[in-house]
Each structure stands twice: as C-alpha cells, then as structure tokens.
Amino acid sequence: MKIAVLGAGSMGNGIAHVSALGRHSVIVRDVEQALVRDGLEQIGANLEEGIEREKITPAEKEDAVERITGTVSLEAAVEEADLVIEAVPERLDVKQNVFEEVEEFAPDDAVVATNTSSLSVTEIASVLNEPSRCIGLHFFNPAHIMPLVEIVVAEQTSADTKEFADHYVESIEKTPTTVNDVPGFASSRLGAMFSLEAIRMAQEGVASIEDIDETMRLGYNLPMGPIELVDHTGVDVNVEVMEYLREELGERFKPPQLLKRKLRAGKLGRKTGEGFYVWEDGDIVGVSGEE
C-alpha cells in the first residue's frame, strides 16, 4: 500500500523504516527540507545498523531505501495514500490541525492514524468529516526495534478501519494489542507509573539513576530502564503526558520536581544531548551532573 508518514523525527522515521521493510511505498513529510533530510539519513543509518546486527540483508536495505521518498508538501504526501500516520508533536491542537489538512487532500477512503501515546483518539478524530476512518497506531520508541503496536479504537472507529489497522500491523511484522480509547491507553498509563516512581526514587536518594535503571533492565528483562526511556522519548513529552494523565486520572500522575527541573533547564534528554544522562551521537556517555 501507499503510506504517508507525517513527521520525520524519531517516531516518524522509525514508522517509515518498518513500513518500507514491510514492502510498502512510503512518503515522509515534514515542514522543513532539513528535517526531511535528517529523517531519511537516520533511516539509512538504522538500516545499516540492522545489517550489522544481522537483522536484515543488504538487499533488504536497498529495497527499503528505494521505497522511501521525502517531501515538505502535505498534499504531495497524502494525495494517493491508503494510510496516513501522523507522528507530529504530542499536542491535541497540532494533531487536530494536521488531520483537518489531511482530510482536504487525502483520498476519501484513506485510513487516518495517529501515533499519539496518550491523547484522546476520539477527540483527535472529532475534527474529521469522516471520523470513522480514524484509529490510533501507537508505536514504541525506537519504532524500528520495538515489536509492539498498540491499536487504539476511538468511539467513531469503524470495524473496517480496525480490520485495516490489524492487517497493516501484521504486514510490518509487529505484534498488535487492542485497547479502547481511555486516557493513557494501557501502555502509557502503565509506563508513566514506572517512570514516575523511578524518578521519585532518584529524587529521594533511594539509589542512583544508573542503579535504578539497571535494576529494572536486569530484574524485569526490559530493553532499557524507565529513566533512560524518559531521555529517549523526551523530558518535555513525558511532562506533557503526565500532566494530561494527572488532569484525567488524578494526582498519582503528578510529575516529580526532579523531572520538572530538567524541563526548565532545557535538558530534554537524548535530543538535546543531556537529560538525566549525557548523550553523544545517540549513546550514553555519562550521567547529568557528574564530572
């Protein structure tokens, strides 16, 4: 199928990556050519890493690269799309504005999906004239590695749209789980509690950030610890999600002061080079505040 991915950042380029490996034609769109270029370069680097890890062959990489193009034109991205997946910043107004624009240019039968990790898919879909074609496809970061896609069914989602989403997720060799559209779904609600308690423990001096993460990695067989995951997804994104869950579900989701201090200092994690950890070229090289 033809897939338009809106947003060339870490989530968008990861979604484009797995879609192309699933033998779909992909157009990646962002608002600036430099962002599109960076996203495509990251896809190439991640595919090369896949070869090194013997997850894909050089031929599979070449085939995937040939299936992906980039553009700054929303119309060009979506005008022939069977599926549109938005991976824009985690703000309701931004996502709704994008969906309104998508509906203007996309085919009437195109499925429109949001990659939101916590916002109401029902509310995002409400701006569409045909909200029955909207669904949540919540990929996990990094999307080209993590095996799960959480399919979020909005109040308006039709049975045909849900069936389409199931087929797409299976085609990219991911495992789908289905949840109803409630605040935080299943994954973000549970994941937020992991991160919240881990940061509270660090704030209280229970253990070092590194030891808390190592405990969760090795004790629970996780790919990364909950504090490292905050750095991966972004301190700002986590604060926004927690504040939203706090408003919807109560004070147990109140962001810790340590997390908010990182936000105020502009230490947003991997994307700024420092959060709870210090990052260089995508790798941890130290802990923030340590010499």
Side-chain angles (χ1 to χ4, degrees):
M1 67 179 73
K2 295 180 179 179
I3 299 174
V5 179
L6 308 182
S10 60
M11 291 308 304
N13 67 58
I15 294 168
H17 174 144
V18 297
S19 296
L21 282 178
R23 303 187 65 78
H24 301 297
S25 298
V26 183
I27 299 180
V28 179
R29 186 261 179 175
D30 216 312
V31 295
E32 296 178 10
Q33 190 62 51
L35 297 175
V36 175
R37 183 188 64 246
D38 290 347
L40 295 179
E41 288 178 354
Q42 187 61 58
I43 292 170
N46 289 340
L47 287 166
E48 189 62 35
E49 184 177 329
I51 294 173
E52 294 171 4
R53 295 170 59 220
E54 299 184 347
K55 298 294 184 181
I56 63 171
T57 66
E60 287 172 325
K61 175 197 171 182
E62 186 64 29
D63 181 69
V65 168
E66 290 179 357
R67 291 177 180 275
I68 304 173
T69 57
T71 184
V72 295
S73 168
L74 181 68
E75 181 177 2
V78 306
E79 62 183 353
E80 296 182 359
D82 301 299
L83 171 63
V84 179
I85 306 174
E86 70 79 10
V88 302
E90 192 75 349
R91 285 177 45 193
L92 179 63
D93 60 333
V94 173
K95 292 180 184 295
Q96 288 180 323
N97 290 340
V98 166
F99 271 22
E100 288 177 324
E101 293 182 44
V102 166
E103 195 167 47
E104 181 180 351
F105 299 116
D108 292 341
D109 59 351
V111 169
V112 181
T114 172
N115 182 53
T116 183
S117 61
S118 62
L119 298 176
S120 169
V121 179
T122 299
E123 196 167 358
I124 294 170
S126 68
V127 300
L128 297 172
N129 293 322
E130 292 294 337
S132 63
R133 59 174 169 159
C134 181
I135 198 162
L137 291 176
H138 178 207
F139 287 78
F140 292 76
N141 195 11
H144 65 288
I145 294 176
M146 300 296 282
L148 177 67
V149 177
E150 192 174 35
I151 298 178
V152 185
V153 180
E155 291 291 330
Q156 310 97 318
T157 302
S158 70
D160 286 345
T161 299
K162 173 61 167 62
E163 183 178 355
F164 181 99
D166 287 334
H167 172 72
Y168 164 69
V169 173
E170 290 167 3
S171 76
I172 60 172
E173 299 185 355
K174 299 290 186 183
T175 300
T177 59
T178 300
V179 298
N180 292 320
D181 185 27
V182 296
F185 318 138
S187 59
S188 293
R189 190 164 167 175
L190 291 168
M193 292 309 297
F194 267 124
S195 298
L196 279 165
E197 195 58 30
I199 295 169
R200 289 188 190 115
M201 289 169 62
Q203 184 173 283
E204 294 166 7
V206 173
S208 70
I209 288 169
E210 294 166 296
D211 284 345
I212 291 169
D213 274 347
E214 190 79 347
T215 296
M216 294 305 295
R217 264 197 306 268
L218 301 181
Y220 288 81
N221 198 29
L222 299 176
M224 68 180 72
I227 301 177
E228 181 183 347
L229 181 59
V230 168
D231 266 12
H232 260 279
T233 56
V235 167
D236 52 338
V237 172
N238 279 268
V239 171
E240 289 175 8
V241 169
M242 290 172 188
E243 290 288 13
Y244 171 73
L245 293 176
R246 178 188 185 187
E247 180 181 341
E248 294 289 332
L249 299 173
E251 288 299 303
R252 65 187 185 275
F253 289 98
K254 180 180 179 180
Q257 283 301 312
L258 179 57
L259 182 66
K260 295 177 80 169
R261 287 201 299 271
K262 293 291 182 184
L263 177 65
R264 295 187 190 108
K267 297 179 179 180
L268 306 184
R270 185 173 181 263
K271 60 188 173 184
T272 60
E274 185 174 356
F276 289 94
Y277 293 94
V278 179
W279 298 80
E280 287 183 9
D281 298 325
D283 295 320
I284 292 174
V285 296
V287 176
S288 179
E290 293 185 356
E291 295 298 331

